[in-house]
Amino acid sequence: MTMAEPRPLTAGPAAPASDYAGRPVYEIARLSKTYARNRLTALTDVSLTLHKGEFVSVVGSSGCGKSTLLKIMSGLLPPTTGRVVLEGRPVTGPRDDIGMMFQQATLLPWKTTVENIILPIEIRQGRAAARAAVPRAMDLLKLVGLGDFGHVYPGELSGGMAQRASICRMLISNPAVLLLDEPFSALDELTRDFMNMELQRICAEQQSTAFLVTHSLAEAVILSDRILVMKPRPGRIVEEIVIDLPRPRTLDMINTPRFGEIVAHIRDLLGKEAFQ
Amino acid sequence: MTMAEPRPLTAGPAAPASDYAGRPVYEIARLSKTYARNRLTALTDVSLTLHKGEFVSVVGSSGCGKSTLLKIMSGLLPPTTGRVVLEGRPVTGPRDDIGMMFQQATLLPWKTTVENIILPIEIRQGRAAARAAVPRAMDLLKLVGLGDFGHVYPGELSGGMAQRASICRMLISNPAVLLLDEPFSALDELTRDFMNMELQRICAEQQSTAFLVTHSLAEAVILSDRILVMKPRPGRIVEEIVIDLPRPRTLDMINTPRFGEIVAHIRDLLGKEAFQ
Amino acid sequence: APSILRAQTAVTFAVPNPSALTWLPYWVAVGEGYFAEEGLDMRLEAIDGSSAVLQAMSAGQAQIGAPGPGPTLGARSRGVDVKFLYNLYPRSVFGILVKDESPAQTPADLKGTVIGVGTADGAEVSFTKAIMTDLGMVEGTDYTFLPVGDGGTAAVGFMRDEVGSYAGAVSDAAILASRGLTLREITPEAYLGFFGNGIAMLESQMAATPDLAPKFGKAMVRGMRFATDPANKEKALAHCAVGNPQEAEQDYAASLYDGVVVRMTPTEAFIGQGYGYQPPEHWQAIHDSAVASGALPEALPDLAAVYSNEFVAGWNA
Amino acid sequence: MTATPDPNADTVWVEHEALIDRIPRWVAMLVLAAIVIAIWDLATARTGWVSPIILPSPAETLADLIFVGHNLLTGGYMLDALWTTTRTVFWAFLIAIVIGFSLGVLVGETKFGERAVMPYLVAIDTMPKVAFAPLFIAWLGFDIASKVALAAFIATFPIVVSTAAGLYAASENERMLFKAMGASRMQTLLRLKLPTGLPHVFTGLKIASVGVMAGAITGEFLGGGQGFGALIRQSASTLDTPRVFALILYLSLLGLALFFAVAWLQKRLVFWNKADRPGGVG
Amino acid sequence: MTATPDPNADTVWVEHEALIDRIPRWVAMLVLAAIVIAIWDLATARTGWVSPIILPSPAETLADLIFVGHNLLTGGYMLDALWTTTRTVFWAFLIAIVIGFSLGVLVGETKFGERAVMPYLVAIDTMPKVAFAPLFIAWLGFDIASKVALAAFIATFPIVVSTAAGLYAASENERMLFKAMGASRMQTLLRLKLPTGLPHVFTGLKIASVGVMAGAITGEFLGGGQGFGALIRQSASTLDTPRVFALILYLSLLGLALFFAVAWLQKRLVFWNKADRPGGVG
Ligand SMILES: Nc1ncnc2c1ncn2[C@@H]1O[C@H](COP(=O)(O)OP(=O)(O)OP(=O)(O)O)[C@@H](O)[C@H]1O
Ligand SMILES: Nc1ncnc2c1ncn2[C@@H]1O[C@H](COP(=O)(O)OP(=O)(O)OP(=O)(O)O)[C@@H](O)[C@H]1O
Ligand SMILES: [Mg+2]
Ligand SMILES: [Mg+2]
């Protein structure tokens, strides 16, 4: 199933998830998270559903709990209360079918870029499989513009290059669900646009479900089927916006009035609560 | 001297620097840098001049040598060849009059946020001065929206919060020259816009000269008097664009046609060289 | 007591072994107040071996020491002005010991066996070598030495049957016996002249404090006389308990006491000379065997300077 | 993990600790102790495989433990000895920390230290300390000073090596930050490298806390004095192995106290290092 | 730094190293050696402040160094002794590494190890090793095996403590990454925690390399045998201090070789840790 058909063009608050075509794969209900260390309530009463093949983005101000939400969804942090269910099974720890990209690149300094990228394969399938994945890793590196840097150690990469390498590391194992925490924040617009289009292509090809944290509204709109808007203190979802632009999306859609309208709408929403 | 007067509106390649009003403070000529470790030429033949009170931005694709340039300018890395002169004296090491913000936040985990912020004062003027700077540090924290997080350890901050804290750390010592490496990359647009306006205000007030690396063309245009465009392999400056928008800049200028024009021009320039 | 009125000088007596019974007359003299009567305020320090005792003496940390004659000869050959004054163990401290059930009755029976020694060239080695050489046996062909250490590790040598005999201090035999390992001594009477540790001082020390040696020896002899009277055994043991309370807690302390008294009592031939007397011929024998074994690189030009019997008469008066 | 979860139930994380981690501490310690004592008993009292001269049976050792404990509690001569040894250990540890730390900084911070001083330190430390005991006695006498010197000598080296290693632990980003702030070498050392290197330094202190005990006892073995080491030597020379083991066991309580005092201090001082749960993340 | 720089001149960075770091290595080592020897000579031969039977003069020691060196080079009995000790040290180090590393992983990785095993290890290690010498000889005989055991015993503890500390060195981000990849505990240990902890482990190995030397010599002191330790003890028992010091100096060459072999291995294995220049950044 591809996402190319146009869908009901309702960009409004909380469009019921059942309107959506795919079968629900990810269900989160009444999630809340309080960090024990500082007794800070990072998330409160978060509920959301992801459908098969859907691309959902989260936007919200810095510190509103986006990374926390992703870590809970990927099974890295336990929720304080609430339900997290993926493919009918509660998430109580990391799962093979989830690919996670962290806000920090976190490459191992004693492995070359390509060795870092095949690490998930090495972990899950052993060394032989990892060796076999090297050509694919090199392809991915070429794709993100790091073709010449496969055999270089991470200490010799720039900030954006490390980020791109960590995207490759997530992609190498073709996960069914992608959780991405600001994957393109250190990239220039051009590379970013290019990466966005590649991400769309990869998700469509593999029918992956994707959940993206981003600060770029344009990026969120161009990639997503839905955008969730979060507000801080305590972190919660205040709005859900269905993006009715047709698929596949292209970069020139950015210049369409509909696109500008949606971006303006979200900016408005975020702006409602004054800074501080 | 404030930057409020309109200036010749020529957005073209390599406008001669002598057109500019302020006296030159930073002079860089024929700079090149080759990393010994991998014999990679990160910069070649870079020349630029910063004038007193000027705000200059650098844009360019990931890995084109922007961070390297900043590190050389701040005296952290020696150039392979070329001249770097600040206020008539060659830069051969870190200087008190330069404030640097790194691409990574790098907060010390054993100090609270506010202790991290007063660290430069502590280093340069001793503990007593640092203690005296605490109220100012708290003000800066409030300014960036971290008023409640002064006495929290960095491990409990989100990515964007750490970045904002490190901006405060740079600002606390009122440096004459600001070197900023993607300071707002982890911030949402709203916070980012707000921070941009604050940065403009602070620079104007202190007549600081600023040099900013950014991936956001909008940010570059709204803040800068000039924008330098870099191209990779080897890293070099290919274009200089003078931004003729009047000062002080306001956020609604983003919606003016002139703004759109300039952004489009730069995007074009960057796009000339195809991705890869 | 009048001694308290006199200014007391603190004197340190360094010994190579922590056992209090080994220095029986000293502890008796302390307990009976003989030293105090002489105006001496004594300290005893048990350190590790005769070499360390000689080193402490030459450093001035100990004014009096109780080294063995072998190391004393060694120190003398290295230019240390040490002088042996009092022969504390005229009947030797060493013996050749075999397991009780061993068929060996004399050293001659040890042909073709392994003899355990503390270290490869401790004093017991020259002692044993002298006996074996007199029997016409050669080390390496007729018998071999195995360094097994002392105390626990020596016992291990027997238990693992790595050695058939052990040349060491006879007090070890009493101790091992109390731990269930009965040993029998097969040392020929004639070799008991290889006397053991005694009291020594540096000549420079003797010159600086001329009345120290007379006073110290006098108290020691009085202590010795007290200890040899069987009636005083209980009291003497109590005095030793002050020096080493743990030793006093051992049930074999009484039997060890008897052994020590025997070894400290001069043989018939020399008993008339009094306590502390050092027969020159025995010094010669010790010296010659030390030269023969290589422990001394060359013969000393004036062996007579190593020891002195000048105080013996005064002490025994 | 139910296949069809109740839609109203919260997701409950069962923190599945490995079996080995779920054993309560006291149970584990008791079981370990029981196993060791059982084997020990078997080897000594039951089968006589090991002679009592070498290794006393647990029962004999217990009898002496009670005896020694009684002596200690009633303020007998052993308490004095323990007090002497404790003072020795205390001073030696203090001196070892000061000297080891200073030398560690010299070695870790300067090329001079690393290349010229370190080889000498290694050479000196390889030498059998026993050979130096007479020197210390010659200079410092029979009092605790000579034992303090020997113990400090032994304990210094681990602190030197660990401190020097700790000074390399700061990341390049952090060094850059300090360089950019114009921090002097001393400031970088005090405010960055040392705090970052604290976990390393504490590793050295832990090793040294055990080394200093060993050193004090060795000193008392070799050089007279009134400490616990002298008591052990007395017992050993009379082959009173149950007493030797009893004394050693009390001694190791002192060692445990010192070690865990250091560990406790580390927990307090290196509070930001949250990765302190084995196997855990949160 | 000229006030009015020539506009065509390149900016030249004068890497202003601190004075102490600019001294060439050999000069520094020679100067240090000269100072030590001068003081030594003054204390012994010149003033006679220290008795020659406690500390021989440099000249006497040199004479014996030549004698011992000649014996070693011509394959005399000392070479056999050195070879015996070298073998002891080699095996002991190997055993200490294997056991210390395994125990270190147990302690650093499991709560069971940290809470139940570690106290016992500390307690055992505080005990004077000397007391265990008879045990080792009883079990292993008078051959090198008993010395190997004693030396390994001494060298194990630093490796345990360092390895355990190293396992805490990985950052929370890195742990999260491995958790997210579904890495098993063993994989996290092998692929993340151990490589990250290598600098710590090497700290332990360096300390152990010196400890194992001390242990081997102590073993030979106490339990006879044919090694260098026995030679030293023989010389010491006849107050032949020049020989003692000559032997010790040769011995420390062995220790230096071992230590710097470990340091060299560390440079190779922990290649990514570029912060290896004292004071430097680049
Ligand atoms: N320490 C280093 N050693 C070797 N090569 C390096 C090092 N740092 C950077 N490089 C190389 O230098 C080039 C420029 O790096 P730099 O960090 O300056 O890029 P950048 O423009 O800041 O990129 P980004 O926008 O991704 O941060 C890159 O190709 C990188 O691989
Ligand atoms: N490990 C932690 N311990 C305690 N508090 C934490 C921790 N991590 C995050 N927090 C707090 O939880 C809140 C949400 O943090 P989170 O990292 O989820 O924000 P975010 O939305 O990802 O922000 P950003 O866009 O800046 O990355 C913040 O207020 C932060 O201070
Ligand atoms: Mg985040
Ligand atoms: Mg950069």
Side-chain angles (χ1 to χ4, degrees):
Chain A
M1 142 180 148
T2 54
M3 298 289 144
E5 321 90 327
R7 267 160 295 105
L9 308 181
T10 53
S18 53
D19 281 11
Y20 195 75
R23 124 193 100 79
V25 286
Y26 228 129
E27 281 171 289
I28 288 157
R30 304 178 321 281
L31 198 70
S32 78
K33 173 73 189 176
T34 305
Y35 279 105
R37 218 189 285 172
N38 49 7
R39 297 227 201 81
L40 188 137
T41 304
L43 291 177
T44 184
D45 197 24
V46 170
S47 299
L48 63 95
T49 306
L50 299 190
H51 301 84
K52 177 77 189 156
E54 197 179 16
F55 200 120
V56 176
S57 294
V58 185
V59 297
S61 63
S62 166
C64 73
K66 304 179 295 295
S67 297
T68 305
L69 177 59
L70 248 67
K71 281 179 190 159
I72 295 175
M73 287 175 69
S74 65
L76 288 172
L77 281 184
T80 307
T81 63
R83 289 165 50 71
V84 185
V85 180
L86 170 59
E87 296 283 10
R89 287 189 300 134
V91 174
T92 56
R95 301 245 299 243
D96 273 14
D97 44 0
I98 303 175
M100 169 101 183
M101 190 198 144
F102 294 90
Q103 197 163 0
Q104 283 82 24
T106 319
L107 301 172
L108 301 183
W110 56 86
K111 285 184 180 279
T112 61
T113 312
V114 70
E115 285 166 359
N116 265 289
I117 291 173
I118 58 174
L119 186 64
I121 307 271
E122 197 183 327
I123 295 283
R124 294 206 180 99
Q125 285 144 264
R127 276 183 210 282
R131 249 194 314 279
V134 168
R136 201 171 121 64
M138 291 305 288
D139 286 348
L140 281 169
L141 275 174
K142 252 181 232 119
L143 184 79
V144 302
L146 292 178
D148 299 344
F149 290 86
H151 299 294
V152 142
Y153 286 93
E156 302 164 12
L157 297 179
S158 79
M161 287 156 84
Q163 217 181 29
R164 282 180 277 163
S166 83
I167 296 171
C168 296
R169 182 176 57 196
M170 181 199 62
L171 290 176
I172 190 104
S173 47
N174 299 326
V177 178
L178 304 179
L179 303 177
L180 301 136
D181 199 347
E182 308 191 20
F184 308 131
S185 64
L187 300 186
D188 56 293
E189 289 192 12
L190 210 78
T191 315
R192 189 168 191 151
D193 287 343
F194 176 82
M195 295 291 300
N196 281 340
M197 289 303 105
E198 281 303 317
L199 185 60
Q200 173 179 243
R201 187 182 60 73
I202 289 165
C203 287
E205 243 172 37
Q206 302 180 0
Q207 298 190 30
S208 325
T209 310
F211 194 71
L212 171 84
V213 172
T214 179
H215 287 313
S216 161
L217 299 186
E219 179 173 283
V221 173
I222 200 82
L223 285 173
S224 313
D225 300 306
R226 281 185 295 149
I227 295 177
L228 305 173
V229 180
M230 286 184 71
K231 285 264 163 92
R233 298 186 201 185
R236 62 206 186 277
I237 297 176
V238 291
E239 186 99 30
E240 178 184 323
I241 296 145
V242 175
I243 311 297
D244 46 10
L245 297 172
R247 292 222 174 238
R249 310 269 168 82
T250 54
L251 286 176
D252 19 82
M253 284 184 188
I254 294 174
N255 301 319
T256 61
R258 187 76 188 102
F259 189 94
E261 224 171 84
I262 301 171
V263 169
H265 173 71
I266 302 171
R267 186 170 287 130
D268 240 40
L269 268 176
L270 286 170
K272 247 184 221 156
E273 194 167 330
F275 186 75
Q276 265 299 312
Chain B
M1 143 181 144
T2 55
M3 299 288 143
E5 324 88 325
R7 267 158 297 105
L9 308 182
T10 53
S18 54
D19 280 12
Y20 194 74
R23 126 191 99 77
V25 286
Y26 228 129
E27 282 171 288
I28 286 155
R30 302 179 323 280
L31 198 70
S32 79
K33 173 73 188 175
T34 304
Y35 279 106
R37 217 188 286 171
N38 49 8
R39 298 224 200 82
L40 188 137
T41 305
L43 291 177
T44 185
D45 197 25
V46 169
S47 300
L48 63 96
T49 306
L50 298 189
H51 301 84
K52 177 76 189 156
E54 197 179 17
F55 201 120
V56 177
S57 294
V58 185
V59 297
S61 62
S62 165
C64 73
K66 304 180 295 295
S67 297
T68 305
L69 177 60
L70 247 69
K71 282 179 189 159
I72 294 174
M73 286 175 69
S74 64
L76 288 173
L77 280 185
T80 306
T81 63
R83 288 167 49 71
V84 185
V85 179
L86 171 59
E87 296 283 9
R89 285 190 301 135
V91 175
T92 55
R95 301 246 299 244
D96 273 13
D97 44 0
I98 303 176
M100 169 101 183
M101 190 199 143
F102 293 89
Q103 196 163 1
Q104 282 82 25
T106 319
L107 302 171
L108 301 182
W110 56 87
K111 286 185 178 278
T112 62
T113 312
V114 71
E115 286 166 358
N116 264 289
I117 291 173
I118 58 175
L119 186 65
I121 308 271
E122 198 182 326
I123 294 284
R124 294 206 181 99
Q125 286 144 263
R127 277 183 210 282
R131 248 194 314 279
V134 167
R136 201 172 120 63
M138 291 305 289
D139 286 348
L140 281 170
L141 274 174
K142 254 183 229 115
L143 184 79
V144 302
L146 292 179
D148 299 344
F149 290 86
H151 300 293
V152 142
Y153 287 93
E156 301 163 13
L157 297 180
S158 78
M161 287 156 85
Q163 217 181 29
R164 282 180 276 164
S166 81
I167 296 170
C168 297
R169 182 176 57 196
M170 182 200 61
L171 290 176
I172 191 104
S173 46
N174 298 328
V177 178
L178 305 179
L179 302 178
L180 300 136
D181 199 348
E182 308 192 19
F184 307 133
S185 64
L187 300 186
D188 56 292
E189 289 193 11
L190 211 78
T191 315
R192 188 169 192 152
D193 286 344
F194 176 84
M195 295 290 301
N196 281 340
M197 289 302 106
E198 282 303 317
L199 186 59
Q200 171 179 247
R201 187 182 60 73
I202 290 166
C203 287
E205 243 172 38
Q206 303 179 0
Q207 298 189 30
S208 325
T209 309
F211 194 69
L212 171 82
V213 172
T214 179
H215 287 312
S216 161
L217 299 186
E219 180 173 282
V221 173
I222 201 82
L223 285 173
S224 313
D225 300 306
R226 281 185 295 149
I227 295 177
L228 304 174
V229 180
M230 285 184 73
K231 284 265 163 91
R233 296 183 203 188
R236 63 206 185 279
I237 297 178
V238 291
E239 185 98 31
E240 178 184 322
I241 297 145
V242 174
I243 311 296
D244 47 10
L245 297 172
R247 292 220 174 242
R249 309 267 168 84
T250 54
L251 285 176
D252 16 83
M253 284 184 189
I254 294 174
N255 300 319
T256 61
R258 186 79 188 100
F259 189 95
E261 224 171 86
I262 300 171
V263 169
H265 173 71
I266 302 171
R267 186 170 288 130
D268 239 38
L269 267 176
L270 286 169
K272 246 184 225 157
E273 195 167 331
F275 186 75
Q276 271 293 319
Chain C
S3 58
I4 293 170
L5 299 174
R6 271 179 279 163
Q8 294 202 329
T9 36
V11 176
T12 300
F13 176 41
V15 300
N17 179 324
S19 159
L21 284 172
T22 304
W23 319 110
L24 175 63
Y26 171 84
W27 287 110
V28 170
V30 169
E32 292 295 317
Y34 300 153
F35 286 123
E37 283 174 31
E38 300 291 338
L40 295 176
D41 175 20
M42 294 302 302
R43 306 252 183 290
L44 179 135
E45 295 290 350
I47 55 181
D48 187 46
S50 292
S51 324
V53 166
L54 287 161
Q55 286 173 322
M57 288 166 68
S58 62
Q61 293 289 355
Q63 289 72 42
I64 305 175
T72 303
L73 287 173
R76 194 80 205 187
S77 77
R78 289 177 205 290
V80 180
D81 58 339
V82 62
K83 211 173 200 79
F84 218 79
L85 301 176
Y86 186 126
N87 182 5
L88 202 52
Y89 278 93
R91 291 198 193 219
S92 173
V93 276
F94 296 119
I96 298 177
L97 306 164
V98 295
K99 269 194 195 171
D100 205 23
E101 64 267 27
S102 163
Q105 297 298 330
T106 69
D109 300 334
L110 297 180
K111 196 177 168 83
T113 64
V114 179
I115 303 175
V117 291
T119 53
D121 60 357
E124 68 274 21
V125 175
S126 40
F127 171 79
T128 312
K129 250 189 191 165
I131 297 173
M132 301 305 269
T133 308
D134 289 353
L135 290 168
M137 285 192 269
V138 181
E139 190 202 344
T141 50
D142 297 310
Y143 65 95
T144 49
F145 286 127
L146 176 68
V148 293
D150 39 36
T153 56
V156 169
F158 275 116
M159 284 180 300
R160 288 178 61 94
D161 283 322
E162 299 216 11
V163 296
S165 56
Y166 175 65
V170 286
S171 59
D172 285 356
I175 294 165
L176 289 170
S178 77
R179 305 288 169 210
L181 183 68
T182 317
L183 298 180
R184 181 157 45 80
E185 192 182 351
I186 56 168
T187 324
E189 178 79 14
Y191 292 93
L192 291 179
F194 273 85
F195 55 80
N197 296 43
I199 312 296
M201 284 178 76
L202 297 188
E203 284 169 3
S204 53
Q205 183 70 47
M206 291 165 68
T209 52
D211 58 345
L212 181 54
K215 286 177 171 177
F216 183 80
K218 198 168 166 198
M220 289 290 278
V221 170
R222 286 179 72 190
M224 194 60 221
R225 289 203 173 119
F226 182 89
T228 45
D229 184 347
N232 293 331
K233 185 172 173 181
E234 283 304 308
K235 226 172 162 192
L237 277 171
H239 292 325
C240 288
V242 173
N244 186 340
Q246 296 198 108
E247 191 176 46
E249 290 157 11
Q250 308 291 336
D251 19 331
Y252 62 81
S255 67
L256 187 56
Y257 178 93
D258 296 336
V260 166
V261 169
V262 167
R263 295 276 170 170
M264 284 184 170
T265 305
T267 49
E268 287 306 320
F270 300 106
I271 188 84
Q273 307 275 5
Y275 289 108
Y277 178 73
Q278 310 155 64
E281 56 272 33
H282 287 176
W283 266 114
Q284 193 63 50
I286 292 168
H287 172 262
D288 293 349
S289 83
V291 174
S293 71
L296 267 185
E298 55 194 348
L300 289 180
D302 54 339
L303 178 60
V306 176
Y307 62 97
S308 164
N309 283 317
E310 58 181 297
F311 302 110
V312 174
W315 295 334
N316 286 280
Chain D
M1 288 207 200
T2 40
T4 51
D6 167 12
N8 295 313
D10 279 1
T11 303
V12 179
W13 270 46
V14 188
E15 287 280 1
H16 40 295
E17 277 188 315
L19 190 67
I20 197 171
D21 287 333
R22 289 212 299 267
I23 312 164
R25 173 177 188 166
W26 293 111
V27 173
M29 290 193 71
L30 281 179
V31 168
L32 269 185
I35 292 173
V36 169
I37 292 174
I39 295 177
W40 177 11
D41 196 48
L42 209 71
T44 52
R46 305 273 158 258
T47 63
W49 179 53
V50 183
S51 151
I53 301 183
I54 298 165
L55 189 66
S57 72
E60 288 176 292
T61 309
L62 183 66
D64 263 81
L65 272 177
I66 292 167
F67 181 91
V68 174
H70 180 78
N71 193 304
L72 288 173
L73 286 178
T74 55
Y77 63 93
M78 290 179 183
L79 189 66
D80 295 338
L82 186 63
W83 176 231
T84 303
T85 302
T86 308
R87 269 164 44 228
T88 306
V89 166
F90 173 81
W91 287 113
F93 199 37
L94 212 70
I95 292 171
I97 289 174
V98 171
I99 297 181
F101 189 73
S102 314
L103 285 176
V105 169
L106 183 72
V107 167
E109 184 63 14
T110 65
K111 273 189 202 152
F112 171 78
E114 188 198 15
R115 305 207 182 149
V117 177
M118 194 61 187
Y120 286 108
L121 293 180
V122 174
I124 290 175
D125 219 73
T126 323
M127 299 178 179
K129 311 291 174 302
V130 179
F132 291 95
L135 261 182
F136 289 133
I137 291 176
W139 289 329
L140 301 166
F142 295 104
D143 236 341
I144 70 164
S146 58
K147 285 91 194 167
V148 167
L150 192 69
F153 188 14
I154 289 177
T156 298
F157 191 70
I159 304 181
V160 174
V161 175
S162 308
T163 305
L167 297 186
Y168 293 143
S171 74
E172 196 153 325
N173 276 330
E174 289 166 326
R175 283 159 196 259
M176 282 257 183
L177 172 70
F178 269 71
K179 206 173 166 188
M181 289 191 300
S184 68
R185 188 168 181 171
M186 187 54 83
Q187 286 175 321
T188 309
L189 180 66
L190 292 180
R191 310 263 160 100
L192 172 63
K193 291 184 179 183
L194 282 180
T196 315
L198 268 188
H200 275 89
V201 174
F202 271 102
T203 303
L205 290 184
K206 283 177 178 168
I207 297 171
S209 72
V210 163
V212 81
M213 290 290 305
I217 299 303
T218 308
E220 290 173 352
F221 247 77
L222 300 175
Q226 309 296 328
F228 234 61
L231 291 186
I232 293 177
R233 182 169 175 225
Q234 288 170 10
S235 306
S237 77
T238 58
L239 284 181
D240 187 359
T241 39
R243 175 65 56 81
V244 170
F245 275 81
L247 290 170
I248 283 179
L249 285 174
Y250 279 102
L251 205 60
S252 64
L253 289 185
L254 186 59
L256 276 173
L258 195 62
F259 182 92
F260 284 103
V262 173
W264 175 85
L265 197 69
Q266 176 174 23
K267 280 243 161 81
R268 302 240 90 187
L269 284 187
V270 197
F271 63 91
W272 64 89
N273 195 348
K274 300 288 178 181
D276 52 4
R277 284 293 108 240
V281 165
Chain E
M1 287 209 200
T2 41
T4 51
D6 168 11
N8 295 313
D10 279 1
T11 303
V12 179
W13 270 47
V14 188
E15 286 281 1
H16 40 296
E17 277 189 315
L19 190 69
I20 197 172
D21 287 333
R22 289 213 299 266
I23 312 164
R25 174 178 188 167
W26 293 110
V27 173
M29 290 194 72
L30 280 179
V31 168
L32 271 185
I35 293 173
V36 170
I37 292 174
I39 295 176
W40 177 11
D41 196 47
L42 209 71
T44 51
R46 304 276 157 256
T47 64
W49 179 51
V50 184
S51 154
I53 64 162
I54 296 170
L55 189 65
S57 73
E60 288 176 292
T61 309
L62 183 67
D64 263 80
L65 272 177
I66 292 167
F67 179 88
V68 173
H70 181 78
N71 193 305
L72 287 173
L73 287 177
T74 54
Y77 66 94
M78 290 180 183
L79 189 67
D80 294 339
L82 185 63
W83 177 231
T84 303
T85 302
T86 308
R87 269 163 46 226
T88 306
V89 166
F90 172 82
W91 287 113
F93 198 36
L94 210 70
I95 292 171
I97 290 174
V98 171
I99 297 181
F101 188 73
S102 314
L103 284 176
V105 168
L106 182 72
V107 167
E109 182 63 15
T110 66
K111 273 189 203 153
F112 171 77
E114 188 198 15
R115 305 207 182 149
V117 177
M118 194 60 185
Y120 287 109
L121 293 181
V122 175
I124 290 176
D125 218 74
T126 322
M127 299 176 178
K129 310 292 173 300
V130 179
F132 291 93
L135 261 183
F136 287 134
I137 292 173
W139 289 329
L140 301 167
F142 289 94
D143 237 342
I144 72 164
S146 58
K147 284 90 189 168
V148 167
L150 192 69
F153 188 15
I154 289 177
T156 298
F157 191 71
I159 305 181
V160 174
V161 175
S162 307
T163 306
L167 297 187
Y168 293 142
S171 75
E172 195 152 326
N173 277 330
E174 289 166 326
R175 284 158 195 260
M176 282 258 182
L177 172 70
F178 269 71
K179 206 174 166 188
M181 290 192 298
S184 68
R185 187 167 182 172
M186 187 55 81
Q187 286 175 321
T188 308
L189 179 66
L190 292 180
R191 310 263 160 101
L192 173 64
K193 291 185 180 181
L194 282 181
T196 316
L198 268 188
H200 275 88
V201 174
F202 271 101
T203 303
L205 290 184
K206 282 176 178 169
I207 297 170
S209 71
V210 163
V212 81
M213 291 289 306
I217 299 302
T218 307
E220 292 173 350
F221 250 75
L222 298 174
Q226 310 295 329
F228 236 61
L231 290 186
I232 294 177
R233 184 162 181 204
Q234 287 167 21
S235 305
S237 74
T238 57
L239 286 176
D240 188 356
T241 41
R243 177 64 55 81
V244 170
F245 277 80
L247 290 170
I248 283 179
L249 285 174
Y250 279 102
L251 205 59
S252 64
L253 289 186
L254 186 60
L256 275 174
L258 195 62
F259 183 91
F260 284 103
V262 173
W264 176 85
L265 196 69
Q266 176 174 24
K267 281 241 160 81
R268 302 239 89 188
L269 284 186
V270 197
F271 63 91
W272 65 88
N273 196 347
K274 300 288 178 180
D276 51 4
R277 283 295 106 239
V281 165

